[in-house]
Amino acid sequence: MFDRIIALRGGIAPIRAYMPKLLPDVLSEVFDPGPVFDYAVSLAEVPDGPRAMDHRSALKVRVTF
């Protein structure tokens, strides 16, 4: 990237704009969001999620019920 002067940019995802359309599909299991997440925790393990991101062992954490 550096020798070709390529820029990589990111920003905040407008999740609230997509939620009304996508949430029903996720809840009815039409769409599987699993591949987006690389770490899953149970409700009791929620504090482990941010800790894993802080230690750079996870990028996206999913809470399973």
Side-chain angles (χ1 to χ4, degrees):
M1 289 177 58
F2 298 109
D3 65 336
R4 297 177 190 256
I5 310 174
I6 296 174
L8 178 64
R9 296 176 189 219
I12 298 173
I15 186 64
R16 294 198 188 275
Y18 300 114
M19 193 180 300
K21 182 176 175 84
L22 293 177
L23 188 58
D25 288 341
V26 170
L27 295 176
S28 64
E29 298 180 357
V30 170
F31 175 73
D32 177 21
V36 174
F37 300 95
D38 62 344
Y39 193 77
V41 295
S42 69
L43 200 53
E45 301 168 320
V46 165
D48 295 337
R51 195 172 298 121
M53 289 188 288
D54 187 45
H55 292 124
R56 304 290 192 253
S57 59
L59 292 174
K60 295 276 186 185
V61 177
R62 176 178 58 166
V63 178
T64 58
F65 296 94

